[in-house]
């Protein structure tokens, strides 16, 4: 990114990550949310994002990267990741809003978190229990999604990727989900997102409408995944659920 530092809101731990990562994510998220209530966050007006930086995201070659357009709720696009800074474990993100240097919650040259961050990453199998007890599952843009971090984060499952939205409120997170579209490929904010080609490991209640979508995913991937897991348990002599 150019011209400003961003403190990314924490992502959920990947498969095999220690439980401490989940606790750290929750603690950091609470600290980030507190920053939105402090004077000095979001009161400056950074220069517009450079064309070269945006072009990095627009030409990202590996998969669709999602954004909500050049601005969001009066907050301009402040930064964008691209191929040069790409980390496969983190994905590519686009960042909206502004923060005054040295006046954020953490001080010492850090900037406070931005009001919206959208990160796209290749889906890595993980159990959503790591999102905590207050998560809930729903359908957004025609695909499965999970709301967590007290509504300030939404993860949508589409194609081969997951799209993570981090926002300063649940209303803004939903608004961002409704406006998602690819920055590096044709696409519309009014159409449903492509269905995932994997089976998201949702935790907690799944509504009948969401269950129908899960059961209708391409190649019946959820039924295949369940059958494969059952077979592995039988081979290993593990108890079967139900």
């Amino acid at each position: 990114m150019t011209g400003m530092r961003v403190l990314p809101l924490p992502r959920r731990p990947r498969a095999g990550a220690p439980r401490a990562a989940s606790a750290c994510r929750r603690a950091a998220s609470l600290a980030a949310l507190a920053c939105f209530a402090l004077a000095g966050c979001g009161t400056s007006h950074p220069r517009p994002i450079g064309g070269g930086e945006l072009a990095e995201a627009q030409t990202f070659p590996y998969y669709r990267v999602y954004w909500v357009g050049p601005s969001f709720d009066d907050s301009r696009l402040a930064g964008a990741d691209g191929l040069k800074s790409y980390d496969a474990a983190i994905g590519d993100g686009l960042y909206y809003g502004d923060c005054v240097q040295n006046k954020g919650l953490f001080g010492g040259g850090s900037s406070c978190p931005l009001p919206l961050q959208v990160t796209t990453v290749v889906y890595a199998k993980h159990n959503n229990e790591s999102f905590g007890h207050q998560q809930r599952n729903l359908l957004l843009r025609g695909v499965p999604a999970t709301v967590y971090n007290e509504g300030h984060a939404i993860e949508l499952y589409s194609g081969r990727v997951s799209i993570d939205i981090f926002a300063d409120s649940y209303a803004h997170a939903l608004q961002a989900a409704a406006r998602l579209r690819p920055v590096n490929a044709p696409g519309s904010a009014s159409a449903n997102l492509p269905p995932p080609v994997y089976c998201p490991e949702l935790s907690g209640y799944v509504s009948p409408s969401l269950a129908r979508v899960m059961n209708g995913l391409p190649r019946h991937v959820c039924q295949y995944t369940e059958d494969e897991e059952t077979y592995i348990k039988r081979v290993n002599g593990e108890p079967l659920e139900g």
Side-chain angles (χ1 to χ4, degrees), residues 89-102:
I90 297 174
D92 253 35
L94 289 102
Y95 311 85
Y96 296 81
D98 53 2
C99 274
V100 175
Q101 292 282 344
N102 301 316

Side-chain angles (χ1 to χ4, degrees), residues 24-240:
C24 182
R25 184 193 71 240
R26 290 193 294 269
S29 180
L30 290 174
L33 296 176
C35 181
F36 290 117
L38 296 181
C41 289
T43 56
S44 69
H45 297 283
R47 67 177 183 268
I49 182 174
E53 188 177 352
L54 180 56
E56 275 276 302
Q58 291 173 326
T59 57
F60 185 75
Y62 298 146
Y63 52 80
R64 292 184 180 187
V65 173
Y66 286 85
W67 70 332
V68 297
S71 64
F72 176 79
D73 195 41
D74 297 327
S75 294
R76 291 183 294 183
L77 182 67
D81 295 327
L83 187 58
K84 291 179 182 178
S85 59
Y86 178 59
D87 184 330
I90 297 174
D92 253 35
L94 289 102
Y95 311 85
Y96 296 81
D98 53 2
C99 274
V100 175
Q101 292 282 344
N102 301 316
K103 293 186 180 180
L105 178 65
F106 298 99
S110 296
S111 296
C112 54
L114 302 179
L116 179 66
Q117 173 179 329
V118 181
T119 298
T120 311
V121 62
V122 174
Y123 179 80
K125 185 177 180 181
H126 63 277
N127 193 306
N128 281 5
E129 289 180 358
S130 63
F131 287 157
H133 297 298
Q134 293 184 328
Q135 66 177 287
R136 61 185 184 277
N137 304 309
L138 68 165
L139 276 174
L140 284 177
R141 300 290 297 279
V143 299
T146 296
V147 178
Y148 64 105
N149 274 12
E150 298 181 346
H152 294 274
I154 301 177
E155 183 168 79
L156 297 92
Y157 308 103
S158 175
R160 297 186 180 278
V161 304
S162 58
I163 308 163
D164 289 283
I165 296 171
F166 305 106
D168 57 358
S169 71
Y170 180 48
H172 277 166
L174 284 178
Q175 182 181 346
R179 293 175 54 180
L180 286 173
R181 63 183 187 271
V183 68
N184 59 339
S188 169
S190 61
N192 283 344
L193 296 172
V197 298
Y198 54 86
C199 186
E201 292 193 34
L202 304 182
S203 177
Y205 175 72
V206 174
S207 69
S209 58
L210 178 54
R212 284 194 294 271
V213 170
M214 296 282 284
N215 291 332
L217 291 179
R219 303 190 306 276
H220 300 288
V221 65
C222 284
Q223 292 94 320
Y224 175 81
T225 300
E226 183 177 357
D227 292 344
E228 185 179 36
E229 290 174 351
T230 299
Y231 171 77
I232 292 173
K233 286 182 178 180
R234 284 176 175 164
V235 170
N236 294 334
E238 299 176 20
L240 302 179

